[in-house]
């Protein structure tokens, strides 16, 4: 690979993408349909197809494909992690952290060790869970403050500090800041209607997990499922995160696949959600439905 220039490698990737689209067009053209119009949500052109990237993690509530981008509407978000629900009271130390990347490879961290830094405030270190109800940690992220400081990306991670692996049924996600979480000895309280996205890790457990990256300038959160063998966020390789983001950006998107379907079946593209075939962001969160596009 080293004998090729970057431009040549990009041309090779594009050639493979073009070949995939051509093959899918031939396939869709052979599928009979009575539809005449199709609606494709613009967000779907930013979600890569999950081909060759089957994650070790198994998650629901709902499932999200690697590389799915979620638009952030508010200036502040609350990143949260909840664990231990249904378990007996015990020492069960899970850590929620984030790493902020600036230009010139400068980084900053918000974690149980550094509760407050530019644009981020951590709720504090929780090491034990109460009886049956579970507990949580959260980080409030101020996007305008990060943008003003020149931050580019914020990487979200969770780690098992005391256990051998991430706790089963651990819940991860983010919400707007209008109704903040409350953590006490009685458990965790928050308004579920304010949750923007939430998933539950149900299998394939690892020591550490990168589950999202905030693109500060674009105000978008990119869903990831990148395992790493680390007890703390300092063990995370920023270069590995950048590599997986670059890989996802180069992949064929769901929107491109649907556009190929529209062309092959001579469907009229429309901005009207009352079209014969409708593909929205909500549809894309159903990973089984997306996979059906690739199955005869």
């Amino acid at each position: 690979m080293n004998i090729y220039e970057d431009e040549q490698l990009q041309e090779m990737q594009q050639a493979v993408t073009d070949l995939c689209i051509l093959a899918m067009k031939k396939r869709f053209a052979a599928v009979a349909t009575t539809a005449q119009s199709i609606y494709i949500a613009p967000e779907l052109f930013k979600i890569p197809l999950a081909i060759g990237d089957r994650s070790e993690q198994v998650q629901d509530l709902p499932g999200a494909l690697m590389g799915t981008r979620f638009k952030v509407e508010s200036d502040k978000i609350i990143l949260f992690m909840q664990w231990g629900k249904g378990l007996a009271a015990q020492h069960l130390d899970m850590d929620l952290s984030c790493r902020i990347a600036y230009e010139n490879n400068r980084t900053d961290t918000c974690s149980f060790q550094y509760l407050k830094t530019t644009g981020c405030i951590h709720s504090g270190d929780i090491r034990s869970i109460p009886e049956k109800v579970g507990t949580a940690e959260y980080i409030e992220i101020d996007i305008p403050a990060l943008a003003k400081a020149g931050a580019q990306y914020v990487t979200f991670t969770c780690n098992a500090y005391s256990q051998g692996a991430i706790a089963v049924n651990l819940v991860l996600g983010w919400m707007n800041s209008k109704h903040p979480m409350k953590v006490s000895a009685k458990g965790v309280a928050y308004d579920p209607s304010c949750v923007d996205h939430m998933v539950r890790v149900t299998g394939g457990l690892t020591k550490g997990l990168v589950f999202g990256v905030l693109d500060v300038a674009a105000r978008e959160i990119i869903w990831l499922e990148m395992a790493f063998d680390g007890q703390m966020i300092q063990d995370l390789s920023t270069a590995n995160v950048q590599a997986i983001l670059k890989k996802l950006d180069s992949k064929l998107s769901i929107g491109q696949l649907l556009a190929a379907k529209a062309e092959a079946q001579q469907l009229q593209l429309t901005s009207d959600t009352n079209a014969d075939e409708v593909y929205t962001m909500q549809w894309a969160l159903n990973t089984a439905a997306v996979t059906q596009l690739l199955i005869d």
Side-chain angles (χ1 to χ4, degrees):
M1 299 292 287
N2 291 333
I3 66 174
Y4 297 102
E5 300 293 335
D6 287 343
E7 292 79 8
Q8 291 174 303
L9 294 174
Q10 290 173 6
E11 288 176 2
M12 293 177 192
Q13 291 176 348
Q14 188 58 50
V16 172
T17 298
D18 293 343
L19 183 61
C20 288
I21 292 175
L22 178 62
M24 294 308 296
K25 283 181 179 178
K26 289 182 177 179
R27 175 183 173 277
F28 284 128
V31 177
T33 179
T34 58
Q36 296 182 342
S37 59
I38 185 173
Y39 169 80
I40 306 172
E43 298 91 343
L44 301 188
F45 288 91
K46 294 183 178 181
I47 304 178
L49 280 168
I51 300 174
D53 279 332
R54 188 59 188 163
S55 172
E56 293 180 1
Q57 299 297 320
V58 179
Q59 37 85 17
D60 55 13
L61 282 179
L65 292 171
M66 280 260 289
T68 300
R69 290 176 177 260
F70 297 88
K71 199 70 179 176
V72 178
E73 302 296 341
S74 56
D75 285 339
K76 293 183 179 180
I77 60 169
I78 295 176
L79 186 67
F80 71 91
M81 174 182 69
Q82 181 179 355
W83 74 99
K85 187 175 182 180
L87 298 179
Q90 59 183 285
H91 178 73
L92 187 59
D93 191 358
M94 300 287 130
D95 291 321
L96 177 70
S97 309
C98 69
R99 174 169 285 180
I100 308 156
Y102 295 87
E103 292 182 357
N104 303 320
N105 296 320
R106 184 170 70 88
T107 62
D108 195 4
T109 299
C110 185
S111 67
F112 71 94
Q113 294 174 305
Y114 311 100
L115 296 181
K116 188 174 182 180
T117 188
T118 302
C120 297
I121 301 175
H122 196 287
S123 61
D125 190 19
I126 303 294
R127 303 177 185 179
S128 300
I129 57 173
E131 185 75 17
K132 301 298 181 181
V133 294
T135 190
E137 290 183 4
Y138 62 89
I139 300 174
E140 184 175 270
I141 298 176
D142 187 326
I143 298 176
L146 289 169
K148 184 178 180 180
Q152 295 179 314
Y153 297 98
V154 182
T155 303
F156 310 151
T157 72
C158 66
N159 301 81
Y161 191 84
S162 58
Q163 292 290 102
I166 294 170
V168 173
N169 290 335
L170 176 138
V171 175
L172 302 163
W174 55 89
M175 64 180 75
N176 63 55
S177 58
K178 291 181 180 179
H179 300 276
M181 295 181 70
K182 296 179 181 178
V183 179
S184 71
K186 296 181 179 180
V188 184
Y190 61 91
D191 184 350
S193 67
C194 297
V195 174
D196 292 325
H197 187 66
M198 179 171 69
V199 299
R200 180 171 54 213
V201 178
T202 59
L205 306 182
T206 60
K207 192 67 174 176
L209 175 70
V210 175
F211 63 95
V213 175
L214 168 66
D215 184 328
V216 177
R219 283 178 170 250
E220 291 179 334
I221 295 175
I222 307 160
W223 173 256
L224 296 181
E225 291 182 29
M226 174 185 162
F228 71 99
D229 188 19
Q231 190 174 26
M232 296 186 296
I233 193 171
Q234 284 83 352
D235 299 317
L236 173 66
S237 168
T238 304
N240 288 346
V241 176
Q242 292 174 337
I244 197 169
L245 287 175
K246 186 176 181 181
K247 178 182 177 182
L248 289 169
D249 283 341
S250 67
K251 290 173 68 71
L252 182 67
S253 72
I254 295 174
Q256 286 177 290
L257 180 64
L258 289 170
K261 181 182 190 298
E263 183 178 340
Q265 296 181 339
Q266 298 182 332
L267 303 178
Q268 181 182 355
L269 287 169
T270 176
S271 58
D272 186 357
T273 54
N274 291 320
D276 295 329
E277 293 188 15
V278 177
Y279 299 95
T280 62
M281 184 68 169
Q282 193 62 36
W283 167 83
L285 291 178
N286 182 348
T287 54
V290 176
T291 303
Q292 285 299 314
L293 290 174
L294 303 171
I295 299 174
D296 291 325

